[in-house]
Amino acid sequence: MLAYIARRLLLMIPTLFGIMVLNFVIIQFAPGGPVEQLLAELQGLGGDATARISGGSDDFGGPQVDATGTGSDVTSRYRGAQGLDPEFVAEIERMFGFDKPAHERFFLMIGNFLTFDFGESYFRDTPVMELVLDKLPVSISLGLWTTLLVYLISIPLGIRKAVKDGSRFDVWTSGVVVVGYAIPNFLFAVMLIVMFAGGRYFDWFPLRGLVSDDWSTLPWWQQILDYFWHIALPVIALVVSGFATLTMLTKNSFLDEINKMYVLTARAKGLASRRVLYGHVFRNAMLIVVAGFPGAFISILFTGSVLIEVIFSLDGLGLLGFEAAINRDYPVMFGTLYVFTLLGLLIKLVEDIVYTIIDPRIDFETRRV
């Protein structure tokens, strides 16, 4: 097993490098970079946002420029710079580090990333890692509660559907599962806001934030209630769209085991159906379901909650990434991409290790990576 883990860890290096190269190349062709946005702001073409230049350093090797912009109409290189001194434009490029060739900027960035030095945000005077750590608790709250509820709902429901396969219960619950799978979580979130957050009918739940403004002054038990009051709608929106796949996976896994010969033999010996189900079938059927828990949590944490955080104004990693993409905040974009990709690769390795713990019959030593 140790040899397999070592091979997987070594394989992560070219995988991570390839992902970073691909995204870096795509970004080079995206219009409206930070230099264009700042030049547009200086000419009054970027709306009400302000721009300021400070003396830090970005992770592309140049001094830090902190510019808050929402975009520009620049469609060719520095079209917004018409009328500005070319030397001033060149200075802006140098401050952002864009006076260097693309390949040089990339390898400088990767060199810094190897030591987890992600630089500072272009638009906030804050290191990228500090931003990520500051936003992480919000996303962990969403991901943890959503994953737990999805498993608590999907596993009993999937087992029941397998036992009652073909019955009216199975048909009706399958319809609910299909509807839940078909409705995107952001659309369901909007429906919840309209129904229960003062959008049109009831004003039972808050519309934004993870806690109330006076949360710190509340007694501890009211703080807990306030926290769950705020997080109820976002978690419900994620659970409804997330339990369908796991429910059907659980059902199909149990059906596959129920029809195997050892189950028929156990029944022929006169064992009770409940003992056969939970004493023999459960361990084998739950292998793929339980082993996928780390991956499911990471998926919800880093991808599933992006639009939910934006819709409910939850200041987490999803909203941070969304704002970084809109504002072309390259240090935040590439820093978070590096961290999330590395975590995703490590979680896949953890899943394989969990497989071997749950079922020792699985041996990854005999397979090639």
Side-chain angles (χ1 to χ4, degrees):
M1 188 64 185
L2 292 178
Y4 173 77
I5 293 175
R7 293 198 302 268
R8 285 289 298 270
L9 291 174
L10 291 175
L11 186 61
M12 290 179 189
I13 298 175
T15 303
L16 181 60
F17 184 80
I19 292 174
M20 295 302 296
V21 169
L22 180 61
N23 283 272
F24 187 85
V25 171
I26 292 174
I27 289 297
Q28 303 311 302
F29 294 97
V35 176
E36 292 94 327
Q37 291 195 24
L38 178 55
L39 294 175
E41 293 295 337
L42 293 174
Q43 292 191 312
L45 300 176
D48 297 330
T50 60
R52 64 183 184 274
I53 301 174
S54 59
S57 62
D58 63 20
D59 52 331
F60 290 94
Q64 173 71 22
V65 174
D66 189 353
T68 304
T70 57
S72 68
D73 296 326
V74 180
T75 57
S76 61
R77 192 173 186 270
Y78 309 147
R79 182 179 299 174
Q82 295 175 359
L84 294 179
D85 186 352
E87 293 184 0
F88 176 75
V89 176
E91 179 67 14
I92 296 297
E93 285 185 309
R94 187 191 65 79
M95 287 184 172
F96 274 107
F98 288 101
D99 58 326
K100 302 180 179 67
H103 68 278
E104 185 176 338
R105 285 185 280 118
F106 174 76
F107 285 108
L108 180 62
M109 179 184 72
I110 291 296
N112 292 333
F113 282 9
L114 291 177
T115 60
F116 290 92
D117 177 13
F118 304 117
E120 293 189 358
S121 168
Y122 284 159
F123 309 106
R124 314 171 191 223
D125 294 324
T126 308
V128 174
M129 184 57 73
E130 184 177 328
L131 282 174
V132 172
L133 294 178
D134 182 56
K135 312 299 182 184
L136 194 58
V138 176
S139 296
I140 287 180
S141 294
L142 285 177
L144 183 62
W145 290 115
T146 300
T147 305
L148 289 176
L149 287 177
V150 164
Y151 269 74
L152 288 175
I153 295 173
S154 299
I155 292 176
L157 180 59
I159 295 174
R160 187 67 176 174
K161 285 175 65 62
V163 173
K164 298 292 185 179
D165 183 45
S167 66
R168 181 174 297 180
F169 172 83
D170 182 43
V171 174
W172 279 103
T173 53
S174 294
V176 174
V177 168
V178 170
V179 172
Y181 183 78
I183 299 178
N185 55 22
F186 69 89
L187 180 59
F188 194 77
V190 173
M191 293 170 57
L192 291 176
I193 290 175
V194 172
M195 293 291 298
F196 303 111
R200 184 178 179 89
Y201 297 98
F202 306 102
D203 192 8
W204 293 347
F205 294 92
L207 182 59
R208 57 187 298 122
L210 194 62
V211 292
S212 299
D213 294 336
D214 60 344
W215 184 82
S216 60
T217 64
L218 299 175
W220 66 268
W221 60 272
Q222 288 188 4
Q223 289 181 341
I224 296 176
L225 292 177
D226 183 78
Y227 166 76
F228 284 108
W229 182 47
H230 280 77
I231 207 172
L233 293 187
V235 169
I236 290 174
L238 288 170
V239 168
V240 168
S241 62
F243 83 101
T245 301
L246 185 60
T247 298
M248 299 309 297
L249 177 64
T250 304
K251 175 189 174 182
N252 293 334
S253 181
F254 270 80
L255 281 178
D256 184 58
E257 292 295 325
I258 287 173
N259 294 324
K260 288 185 177 179
M261 186 59 67
Y262 76 90
V263 177
L264 299 178
T265 302
R267 287 176 173 172
K269 291 181 178 180
L271 294 179
S273 298
R274 188 177 184 85
R275 184 176 179 184
V276 172
L277 181 64
Y278 292 102
H280 294 75
V281 176
F282 188 82
R283 178 180 178 180
N284 294 330
M286 288 299 294
L287 172 62
I288 189 173
V289 177
V290 174
F293 182 87
F297 172 69
I298 290 297
S299 176
I300 294 174
L301 177 63
F302 291 144
T303 60
S305 63
V306 174
L307 290 176
I308 298 300
E309 289 183 14
V310 174
I311 292 173
F312 287 97
S313 299
L314 298 174
D315 196 13
L317 294 176
L319 185 60
L320 176 66
F322 175 78
E323 292 177 346
I326 293 297
N327 294 324
R328 300 295 194 271
D329 196 343
Y330 291 166
V332 175
M333 290 173 61
F334 287 113
T336 53
L337 174 66
Y338 181 87
V339 173
F340 296 164
T341 303
L342 183 60
L343 284 176
L345 294 173
L346 291 174
I347 287 298
K348 294 301 293 183
L349 177 58
V350 171
E351 284 187 6
D352 287 348
I353 297 175
V354 171
Y355 272 116
T356 62
I357 294 174
I358 296 177
D359 190 349
R361 296 173 299 175
I362 297 177
D363 183 13
F364 288 107
E365 291 284 358
T366 59
R367 59 175 287 191
R368 291 180 178 271
V369 179

